[in-house]
Amino acid sequence: MEGVTAVLLLAWTLISPSSSGKAWPTHTVCRGGNLEVFYQSCDPLQDFGFSVDQCSKHLKSNLNIKLGFILREDIKELFLDIALFTKGSSILNFSYPICEEDLPKFSFCGRRKGEHIYYAGPINNPGLEILEGEYQVLLELYNENRATVACANATVICS
Amino acid sequence: MAPCASCFLLAVMFSASCKAITSSDQMCTEKEANKTYNCENLGLTEVPDTLPNTTEFLEFGFNLLPTIENTTFTRLVDLIFLDLTRCQINWVHEDAFQYQHQLDTIVLTGNPLIFMAETAFNGPKLLKHLFLIQTGISNLQFIPVYNLEKLESLHLGSNHISSIKFPENFPTQNLKVLDFQNNAIYYLSTEDMNALEKATNLSLNFNGNDIRGIEPGAFHSKSFQSLNFGGTLNLSVILKGLQNSTTQSLWLGTFDDIEDQDLTSAMFEGLCEMSVESINLQKHHFSDISSTTFRCFTQLQELDLTATHLKGLPSGIEGMNALKKLVLNVNNFDQLCQINAASFPSLIDLSIKGNVRTLDLGAGCLEKLEDLQKLDLSHNDIAASECCNLQLKNLAHLQYLNLSYNEPLGLQSQAFKECPRLEHLDLAFTHLHVKAPQSPFQNLHLLQVLNLSHCLLDTSNQHLLAGLVDLRHLNLQGNHFPDGSISKTNLLQPLSSLEVLILSSCDLLSIDKQAFQSLGKMSHVDLSYNSLTGNSIDAFSHLQGLYLNLAANSIHTVPPHLIPTLSQQSTINLSHNPLECTCSNIYFITWYKENLEKFEGLEETVCANPPSLRGVKLYDVKLSCGITALGIFFLIVFLLLIAILLIFSVKFLLRWKYQHI
């Protein structure tokens, strides 16, 4: 009897819709100059918009980006984690502070939960030559409580 | 019988997980029973019936409440904090919060408000904080004025406000924080400022407004707790406009995404005509920095020049005698002497962290700072083969020193002889080269906190921590011990005052029973992320009331004779251990279930063995280790057989005896 109940329950859990089942669409950041960049939001709560002013394998320094999303957390402190993979192995991991209490680098630092943010401006990156290949990039923005502010799974294809 | 039991267990587990899934779909999360609830992102159109009437703190953001009426929250009469962020609220009708007499904070951030009724905020007796960020307000008349007499903070950021002039009847007498971040304010007139006259100790935030003009005299004889003009393009407009004002803290920094003018000496003229205690100028460029640039900084107590592209400070700055705190983080110094510290003889607090280049400490560069108590030199790539007496020469009053996140430092005996009053020393993530048997911290009799995490120490040096008679807090995280064990004689022995000891991630396999014998005052021990077994608990038999963290170790069983040692401690964490849930561990499991209040991380304290119980929470485990029915049956059969055998053998013996008579 219990066995039957267990099977029924198992079937129900498998069939019933899960809240995090829906994936956000994949967007194109840019395509051209032998470079294609796609991203998908990995924050189950929301999608976000992102674009770069230039798309080339010779990545120039101090790129201008456009970024639009809704804040689900205060960002008095904001950190960026980047993990770079190719062919399933990790090449690079780093963490970078964007907003800190004693050094708010950008004008949007200190904005509050619920605000819609639109940022168009430079990001202070170093110049970079992208080698041929396909790369997976995981970007995560989070605040001082390790609460996710934004999350992106990106694919970079350089030919 | 056994398969049936596991079936039942499986069924219980599945039904539990189903319950959890359905509840997260529709129900609010309870953060504190009957008081604090989070109902965010649930698509709710009303207050759910499941919320108790006693709810005091309610996070209700990201739901759907186009209209708020006096019936919306009727039931929740005990509300103190109400967060309605981004609920697509268009209308706040009359007496919307009339039953919420205790309400002190209302958050309406990110709602497309069309209209708020005049009596919208009537009801709360002590409404102190109101958040109207990004609600589309273009005119301050939009905010209903009734019942705002007790208001202490008003947040109006990211709106379309161009004038800060409040209506005449707006109550400002209790306002302490007025936040106008990211609006469209270009001009501040005397009339605007006079409307705020009743407020005292006000903090005004104009960050992200491009203020191009201030009417002369607008700030005349007004005083503020803090003024923030972050990201303003023209600083001289601000400093001239603030004539004859008094401000504790003035924030004039800029940002990476804002193009700004170079700062010239002439721009600071206005500072001579006002009184300020603390100024922040982060991320600006100085065009012609010289000793006269700071001519008007004479009254200043705190100066923050973070990331101002400085290669040095000019020598011979006069009149900065009063400066108590100087922040020079994220600049481009090559050598510490380039800051020309002699200009700041009264300095108590100096911070130079995250220097863009490798910083050379030089010799005696800070020797004129006789009153210095706090020094932060972290994240600077500092390397020195012999540290730190020459570098920290004459800092006899230093109490706090941060040298964390630097390149390798060589320390000899009495390496901090020049700063005998040190109370707090942070060397985390800086590799230390100490030759045994040197004692680098020898003379630091007042040191209370020492952070040596990830310093790659030679822990076999018994004298490493000699002399630290007053040390209360020691962090040795990420260091390694010979053979992965702490033996009876070890480097911790001189630390008789130690209260907090952190030995997590040290790859420890064992701890000797008497390793901590001399540490009688410990109250907090963190041994998480090692490979310790249950026997290590013996090292704490002489201690009581301890917070003991043994998470993420290799504890399979806790031997019964060690249970008294655990029972005399106040809090224990045994989560993420491969715990044995068989009868070999029955004494511990039984005791654990009777003492759950002592344990932390209950949800992560699970069985690893036997495989059928893997992942089951220890408090859910039911073991019966007495004799089972089957066992009793076999025992009876066995006894019966013995008895029969006995009878037969007696019979046989007797027969044999009689046959031979």
Side-chain angles (χ1 to χ4, degrees):
Chain A
M1 181 64 204
E2 279 109 1
V4 177
T5 329
V7 168
L8 282 176
L9 280 164
L10 178 66
W12 189 79
T13 27
L14 289 175
I15 295 164
S16 63
S18 152
S19 56
S20 56
K22 193 177 73 178
W24 298 106
T26 302
H27 307 287
T28 310
V29 181
C30 66
R31 194 182 278 158
N34 300 331
L35 192 71
E36 286 177 272
V37 183
F38 307 101
Y39 76 91
Q40 186 183 26
S41 169
C42 40
D43 179 352
L45 290 175
Q46 65 176 8
D47 201 357
F48 69 94
F50 177 74
S51 75
V52 186
D53 69 335
Q54 178 235 16
C55 190
S56 132
K57 57 196 290 187
H58 317 285
L59 210 63
K60 64 172 190 190
S61 61
N62 227 358
L63 284 173
N64 282 303
I65 62 154
K66 289 183 191 171
L67 177 67
F69 66 112
I70 289 168
L71 282 178
R72 303 228 162 216
E73 303 289 337
D74 288 354
I75 52 165
K76 194 158 216 139
E77 306 231 327
L78 182 68
F79 306 93
L80 171 68
D81 273 10
I82 296 184
L84 183 62
F85 301 87
T86 185
K87 291 172 192 150
S89 57
S90 165
I91 325 177
L92 179 75
N93 267 309
F94 81 95
S95 186
Y96 179 81
I98 295 173
C99 304
E100 289 170 286
E101 193 94 55
D102 61 356
L103 179 53
K105 291 194 177 84
F106 292 90
S107 57
F108 56 75
C109 294
R111 295 182 74 171
R112 301 283 189 145
K113 173 175 124 184
E115 281 197 65
H116 146 230
I117 280 201
Y118 174 69
Y119 176 77
I123 51 166
N124 257 335
N125 62 300
L128 196 69
E129 185 80 16
I130 303 173
L131 298 177
E132 259 179 42
E134 189 176 322
Y135 304 91
Q136 280 76 48
V137 192
L138 179 64
L139 298 120
E140 200 187 354
L141 287 171
Y142 55 92
N143 74 355
E144 65 270 32
N145 304 321
R146 202 59 179 80
T148 301
V149 173
C151 174
N153 261 322
T155 308
V156 180
I157 302 168
C158 184
S159 53
Chain B
M1 195 171 128
C4 259
S6 63
C7 269
F8 181 68
L9 196 72
L10 214 66
V12 168
M13 274 165 63
F14 275 121
S15 61
S17 69
C18 287
K19 212 169 153 191
I21 288 166
T22 47
S23 66
S24 75
D25 261 359
Q26 300 157 358
M27 297 231 310
C28 307
T29 2
E30 185 177 86
K31 288 177 151 181
E32 192 185 346
N34 300 325
K35 269 190 177 176
T36 308
Y37 290 86
N38 184 325
C39 302
E40 289 187 345
N41 301 302
L42 296 176
L44 300 171
T45 53
E46 58 179 11
V47 172
D49 296 334
T50 47
L51 272 189
N53 292 348
T54 51
T55 305
E56 292 178 6
F57 299 88
L58 180 58
E59 292 183 290
F60 205 77
F62 306 96
N63 286 306
L64 201 63
L65 293 174
T67 309
I68 298 189
E69 297 170 279
N70 57 5
T71 51
T72 313
F73 299 103
T74 320
R75 207 163 53 78
L76 307 177
V77 292
D78 290 338
L79 275 182
I80 294 174
F81 174 92
L82 179 60
D83 184 346
L84 297 171
T85 295
R86 218 160 258 278
C87 282
Q88 303 191 30
I89 301 167
N90 294 135
W91 309 94
V92 184
H93 287 316
E94 299 82 1
D95 305 313
F97 306 102
Q98 64 171 327
Y99 303 110
Q100 285 71 41
H101 299 309
Q102 318 288 326
L103 200 58
D104 93 349
T105 305
I106 301 177
V107 184
L108 288 166
T109 300
N111 286 296
L113 297 178
I114 295 172
F115 191 75
M116 289 196 281
E118 281 298 285
T119 56
F121 297 123
N122 273 8
K125 291 192 172 121
L126 282 171
L127 185 60
K128 286 183 183 165
H129 310 285
L130 187 56
F131 291 78
L132 293 168
I133 300 167
Q134 214 170 60
T135 47
I137 298 176
S138 56
N139 190 330
L140 294 180
Q141 307 265 8
F142 185 83
I143 308 164
V145 293
Y146 294 106
N147 201 31
L148 297 183
E149 289 79 18
K150 306 282 189 237
L151 208 61
E152 289 178 12
S153 76
L154 179 57
H155 301 263
L156 294 166
S158 302
N159 284 303
H160 311 294
I161 299 165
S162 56
S163 162
I164 69 155
K165 189 171 182 299
F166 278 97
E168 255 175 46
N169 53 347
F170 196 95
T172 54
Q173 64 272 21
N174 285 312
L175 267 185
K176 297 286 173 239
V177 175
L178 189 49
D179 192 339
F180 284 109
Q181 277 192 69
N182 309 305
N183 274 289
I185 301 160
Y186 300 113
Y187 189 76
L188 298 172
S189 69
T190 311
E191 206 187 348
D192 291 345
M193 295 310 298
N194 284 346
L196 297 172
E197 210 145 41
K198 284 186 197 140
T200 51
N201 278 332
L202 188 65
S203 291
L204 254 178
N205 190 347
F206 294 114
N207 191 30
N209 289 280
D210 183 14
I211 296 191
R212 292 171 195 169
I214 297 178
E215 189 176 340
F219 285 79
H220 193 87
S221 61
K222 296 196 168 65
S223 86
F224 298 92
Q225 176 63 40
S226 77
L227 288 174
N228 185 330
F229 291 96
T232 305
L233 295 185
N234 196 338
L235 282 195
S236 52
V237 166
I238 306 294
L239 293 174
K240 271 200 199 100
L242 294 180
Q243 234 179 31
N244 282 316
S245 66
T246 307
T247 308
Q248 295 271 311
S249 136
L250 180 59
W251 209 91
L252 298 170
T254 186
F255 306 100
D256 273 354
D257 51 314
I258 287 177
E259 290 208 16
D260 69 326
Q261 292 178 315
D262 282 4
L263 298 183
T264 61
S265 304
M267 282 185 179
F268 294 113
E269 296 284 294
L271 264 181
C272 288
E273 312 284 325
M274 59 185 289
S275 161
V276 191
E277 262 183 33
S278 150
I279 285 189
N280 187 317
L281 291 167
Q282 77 152 33
K283 287 200 167 279
H284 280 290
H285 284 82
F286 287 91
S287 65
D288 57 343
I289 195 161
S290 70
S291 57
T292 55
T293 305
F294 302 101
R295 195 176 63 83
C296 292
F297 286 63
T298 49
Q299 303 292 317
L300 214 59
Q301 302 211 0
E302 293 184 20
L303 178 59
D304 190 328
L305 297 172
T306 296
T308 44
H309 318 272
L310 293 173
K311 293 194 170 103
L313 284 176
S315 60
I317 299 173
E318 280 172 27
M320 289 267 253
N321 295 328
L323 202 70
K324 297 271 191 283
K325 180 177 177 179
L326 179 60
V327 181
L328 295 169
N329 302 341
V330 200
N331 279 301
N332 305 310
F333 307 117
D334 286 313
Q335 230 228 5
L336 190 55
C337 286
Q338 288 166 338
I339 72 162
N340 281 301
S343 307
F344 321 102
S346 309
L347 218 56
I348 286 174
D349 186 343
L350 174 63
S351 176
I352 307 174
K353 69 173 177 184
N355 198 52
V356 177
R357 304 174 187 190
T358 300
L359 184 69
D360 176 7
L361 290 185
C365 294
L366 305 177
E367 65 183 336
K368 294 282 162 57
L369 304 182
E370 286 174 6
D371 297 331
L372 200 67
Q373 292 177 8
K374 206 172 165 206
L375 178 60
D376 189 345
L377 292 168
S378 57
H379 296 271
N380 284 333
D381 290 339
I382 295 168
S385 56
E386 200 171 318
C387 203
C388 296
N389 287 324
L390 209 56
Q391 291 87 343
L392 304 177
K393 204 171 155 192
N394 212 23
L395 298 180
H397 289 97
L398 203 63
Q399 293 173 4
Y400 171 96
L401 175 62
N402 190 347
L403 280 166
S404 62
Y405 294 92
N406 279 302
E407 291 298 307
L409 297 180
L411 302 180
Q412 265 80 37
S413 269
Q414 302 199 17
F416 300 93
K417 203 176 173 182
E418 291 285 329
C419 359
R421 304 186 71 86
L422 269 188
E423 288 173 14
H424 188 129
L425 177 58
D426 191 346
L427 290 159
F429 290 90
T430 298
H431 298 176
L432 300 179
H433 295 306
V434 183
K435 286 206 184 84
Q438 309 261 28
S439 311
F441 311 110
Q442 185 112 59
N443 59 317
L444 299 179
H445 303 308
L446 301 174
L447 198 70
Q448 299 202 358
V449 180
L450 178 59
N451 187 348
L452 294 172
S453 58
H454 301 275
C455 286
L456 296 186
L457 294 171
D458 170 17
T459 51
S460 62
N461 179 0
Q462 307 284 322
H463 305 278
L464 188 73
L465 302 173
L468 296 171
V469 287
D470 206 26
L471 196 70
R472 313 277 165 89
H473 184 127
L474 175 64
N475 189 342
L476 284 173
Q477 183 180 359
N479 287 289
H480 299 291
F481 286 79
D483 304 324
S485 75
I486 302 182
S487 54
K488 195 176 163 188
T489 51
N490 59 62
L491 78 172
L492 302 170
Q493 267 157 358
L495 311 176
S496 53
S497 305
L498 203 64
E499 289 165 11
V500 179
L501 175 61
I502 297 161
L503 285 167
S504 57
S505 307
C506 289
D507 284 341
L508 290 173
L509 297 166
S510 66
I511 298 173
D512 188 89
K513 192 174 181 298
Q514 292 181 311
F516 301 139
Q517 210 60 46
S518 57
L519 312 178
K521 291 188 180 163
M522 282 206 294
S523 60
H524 179 120
V525 179
D526 184 351
L527 288 164
S528 58
Y529 297 93
N530 285 299
S531 303
L532 296 168
T533 57
N535 287 321
S536 309
I537 294 166
D538 219 2
F540 304 101
S541 56
H542 65 295
L543 292 164
Q544 291 183 348
L546 212 56
Y547 167 85
L548 181 58
N549 189 348
L550 286 163
N553 274 288
S554 304
I555 300 173
H556 298 275
T557 54
V558 177
H561 72 277
L562 295 179
I563 290 174
T565 300
L566 284 186
S567 65
Q568 69 202 29
Q569 315 307 348
S570 63
T571 308
I572 304 153
N573 190 334
L574 280 172
S575 63
H576 301 285
N577 273 292
L579 293 165
E580 187 87 26
C581 296
T582 59
C583 290
S584 63
N585 207 13
I586 183 69
Y587 289 104
F588 169 66
I589 294 173
T590 311
W591 178 79
Y592 175 85
K593 286 160 78 169
E594 285 163 3
N595 291 277
L596 289 178
E597 75 288 345
K598 260 189 196 312
F599 285 88
E600 157 184 283
L602 293 176
E603 304 297 312
E604 288 81 36
T605 308
V606 298
C607 305
N609 211 21
S612 60
L613 289 176
R614 186 169 296 155
V616 175
K617 284 165 198 142
L618 207 59
Y619 63 72
D620 279 338
V621 169
K622 287 189 180 71
L623 286 181
S624 52
C625 292
I627 304 169
T628 63
L630 202 67
I632 291 172
F633 173 73
F634 276 116
L635 198 73
I636 290 170
V637 170
F638 180 72
L639 286 175
L640 222 71
L641 281 172
I642 295 269
I644 291 166
L645 206 75
L646 208 78
I647 291 165
F648 271 103
S649 54
V650 167
K651 239 179 177 177
F652 178 78
L653 252 166
L654 285 174
R655 199 180 286 167
W656 188 80
K657 216 174 165 185
Y658 283 115
Q659 274 178 356
H660 289 87
I661 285 177

